[in-house]
Amino acid sequence: MHAELPLSDSIEFGFITGFEDGLSIRAKAGLAMEHGYDSVWVGDHVVCPVPMLDSFQQLAQLAALTDGVTLGTAVYILPLRHPVHAAKQASSLDHLSEGRFIFGVGLGGDFPEEWAACEVPLKERGARMTASLPLIRTLMRGKPTQGEGRFHHFPQTQLTPAAHRAGGPPIWIGGFVPAALKRVAHSAEGWIGYMKTPTEYTSSLALIAKEARDCGREFEAFGSAHLLSIRLGNTREEALKAARQDVGYAMAEEMGIASPDHVALGAPADVAERIEAYRKAGVRHFIIETLGSEERPEQLARFAEEVRPLL
């Protein structure tokens, strides 16, 4: 138990992909299986300044190429999509992966042109997210669902088959502002943190726990994940220099330049020490984002071989 939330006793490690980085889906699946990663996650955008593949199509292929590896979206931009369409994709993927899917969702908003292209007002994304979550949950469970709210007006609809798991795949919400944390307490089974120091992460868990208590919600289990950018080098200075030169994965360059306190940089012992601080803060599922896209496979291999044994 941590911050009044029922957290797992074990620690899991996964890595995030999603951008077109020259690695085939087969190679990414091989990295996960060969090096014992617990999960593979993909980012999500419809319109993005850098090449990016569709999240669900990637995960469908990964489901076929992996065994025992959890698959997740970190995060699927839910307000851009109609809830019936999103629920159909999520429940189908839960079947294809035989219950290995975690549906990580979030608001997005980084690229206004993306919202214009999808004809969804950017200023409505929070309200649309709140409205979509209960609809998606009942749709994934195969229950008759009707859209009668401000944004969605569809007749009673039942998706078949329902998701592989009776309750549907767990929904984890990504975000770091108080509104997102409160939404976790009301509507999700887990939280995907981002750009938080260990101290900030603990405070955020406490906020989620308080909001859940105030609204009368109790969790049977709670997924506490964190998207953590890392860069391994011989020294912290060498790793920081490489991170600052990164032009790869979502916001990694900005994080490497502007927010070194939110990343794990340096020799294996330095990175392990930082991860241990996050574990003490309450993180139970680490989603690794490597800084330095041109050396991504090597960084993931080094993390598995040189950092995990130290933990």
Side-chain angles (χ1 to χ4, degrees):
M1 189 75 71
H2 193 285
E4 302 180 37
L5 294 171
L7 305 184
S8 172
D9 292 331
S10 61
I11 306 297
E12 295 185 308
F13 292 93
F15 63 84
I16 190 167
T17 177
F19 289 84
E20 179 45 58
D21 54 10
L23 289 177
S24 69
I25 292 292
R26 191 175 298 277
K28 294 170 183 177
L31 276 170
M33 298 290 286
E34 179 182 355
H35 296 291
Y37 279 95
D38 301 294
S39 60
V40 179
W41 301 74
V42 298
D44 174 65
H45 279 291
V46 178
V47 178
C48 187
V50 295
M52 192 170 196
L53 301 174
D54 178 79
S55 55
F56 276 100
Q57 292 192 51
Q58 289 188 85
L59 291 177
Q61 284 193 291
L62 285 166
L65 294 169
T66 58
D67 183 28
V69 176
T70 297
L71 306 173
T73 46
V75 290
Y76 182 80
I77 305 177
L78 186 57
L80 281 178
R81 278 76 170 210
H82 192 283
V84 174
H85 184 205
K88 185 65 176 180
Q89 287 187 299
S91 56
S92 296
L93 186 56
D94 197 52
H95 265 282
L96 292 172
S97 64
E98 298 181 325
R100 289 186 281 140
F101 176 50
I102 294 175
F103 196 13
V105 300
L107 285 183
D110 299 324
F111 311 118
E113 60 272 21
E114 179 174 41
W115 297 79
C118 294
E119 300 182 333
V120 176
L122 180 61
K123 64 181 181 181
E124 293 179 355
R125 68 191 193 277
R128 285 177 175 269
M129 176 90 151
T130 299
S132 290
L133 284 167
L135 298 173
I136 286 175
R137 191 177 296 282
T138 57
L139 285 164
M140 290 192 303
R141 292 174 176 173
K143 296 182 179 180
T145 304
Q146 185 171 348
E148 298 178 305
R150 172 183 170 191
F151 305 108
H152 308 297
H153 311 278
F154 56 88
Q156 188 172 90
T157 301
Q158 184 175 14
L159 298 183
T160 57
H164 181 79
R165 282 171 285 189
I171 295 175
W172 292 6
I173 293 177
F176 48 84
V177 300
L181 301 175
K182 291 179 180 179
R183 193 175 286 116
V184 171
H186 286 266
S187 304
E189 287 76 50
W191 171 50
I192 302 173
Y194 183 48
M195 294 190 73
K196 295 281 190 184
T197 65
T199 299
E200 292 168 341
Y201 194 92
T202 298
S203 298
S204 297
L205 287 182
L207 191 155
I208 293 170
K210 180 182 183 302
E211 185 70 17
R213 185 172 61 251
D214 290 348
C215 71
R217 186 173 184 208
E218 294 184 5
F219 295 97
E220 292 184 8
F222 187 84
S224 57
H226 189 61
L227 178 58
L228 181 65
S229 290
I230 71 162
R231 175 70 193 198
L232 284 159
N234 294 322
T235 65
R236 179 176 171 80
E237 290 71 24
E238 176 189 303
L240 179 58
K241 181 179 179 180
R244 283 175 168 161
Q245 296 173 344
D246 184 273
V247 292
Y249 308 96
M251 295 184 70
E253 183 180 20
E254 178 182 336
M255 291 175 65
I257 293 172
S259 306
D261 290 342
H262 296 90
V263 300
L265 304 170
D270 298 321
V271 174
E273 181 180 5
R274 194 66 176 160
I275 285 176
E276 175 62 14
Y278 277 104
R279 185 199 66 79
K280 291 179 179 178
V283 178
R284 294 296 180 267
H285 199 125
F286 289 87
I287 304 172
I288 300 300
E289 179 181 48
T290 58
L291 297 173
S293 56
E294 76 286 351
E295 299 173 7
R296 190 155 185 262
E298 291 79 3
Q299 286 282 304
L300 289 172
R302 283 194 68 187
F303 179 85
E305 296 168 1
E306 299 178 33
V307 178
R308 287 189 69 168
L310 299 178
L311 299 168

